[in-house]
Amino acid sequence: SSWIWPGQPAPLGMPPGEYAFRKTILAPAGKTPTRAVVLISVDDEFSLYHNGRFVATGANITESWELAVAAQVVLDPNGVNILAVRARNLPHPVTGGDNAAGLLASVQVEYVDGSSGVFSSDTTWRGTVGAPSGFEAVGFDDSGWTAAIVIASYGAGPWNTTVVLPPEYLGNAAVRR
């Protein structure tokens, strides 16, 4: 996985405020998705949505990004599946100005035939400054958004390897890519 953010961020200096991300889950040809397990961390706060419905949140606690959140999502087997994230970068605790910001995610998709696949946060996610009304919905037009950029690979940047997975996922190498 990679830490991503919209625009051209400097990992140690993004303006405080809201940002939004979207990712379309595409099943390989001949595969029918059933559910996904999303492991996500955002520096500083986030709300995760699937097809417009709220799924999970990362609370505003000191260094909350160090604790990944796990969410299970039932996927639409015959339709579009959109993950959307409302991210909030808080002011630097000392200076009150720009602060490190990033989104890190790993998503394991399960298919009807019992197989699974994994994708991670990367440049295929789309992002924007601000969180436009309705951006969580399937029909929202994000064509004006830019591809997210990779700030750092997991293990690098200001975050290093300090993100802790929920206990039930510690031994699953697939979700830690």
Side-chain angles (χ1 to χ4, degrees):
S1 295
S2 297
W3 289 96
I4 61 171
W5 206 248
Q8 299 295 321
L12 296 176
M14 285 306 298
E18 285 195 333
Y19 298 79
F21 296 87
R22 287 173 53 95
K23 172 67 178 172
T24 302
I25 299 174
L26 299 172
K31 297 283 189 179
T32 303
T34 58
R35 75 178 194 127
V37 175
V38 181
L39 294 174
I40 184 170
S41 176
V42 174
D43 185 356
D44 291 298
E45 300 175 347
F46 73 91
S47 295
L48 173 67
Y49 302 86
H50 169 253
N51 289 355
R53 292 183 303 273
F54 174 79
V55 175
T57 189
N60 175 21
I61 58 173
T62 302
E63 308 300 346
S64 63
W65 59 267
E66 291 181 342
L67 304 171
V69 172
Q72 294 189 26
V73 175
V74 177
L75 299 176
D76 181 345
N78 302 309
V80 175
N81 288 283
I82 302 288
L83 293 178
V85 178
R86 178 186 306 267
R88 185 167 176 227
N89 189 36
L90 299 175
H92 189 279
V94 175
T95 68
D98 292 356
N99 197 10
L103 178 150
L104 179 75
S106 181
V107 182
Q108 183 171 14
V109 178
E110 297 176 2
Y111 302 102
V112 170
D113 65 6
S115 65
S116 65
V118 176
F119 67 87
S120 302
S121 45
D122 60 16
T123 59
T124 64
W125 291 58
R126 299 183 65 76
T128 191
V129 175
S133 178
F135 83 95
E136 311 92 339
V138 171
F140 182 85
D141 180 8
D142 64 7
S143 62
W145 293 19
T146 60
I149 65 164
V150 172
I151 298 169
S153 296
Y154 177 72
W159 307 280
N160 297 309
T161 58
T162 53
V163 176
V164 177
L165 295 175
E168 63 270 31
Y169 296 99
L170 289 176
N172 188 339
V175 299
R176 292 184 295 158
R177 289 189 216 173

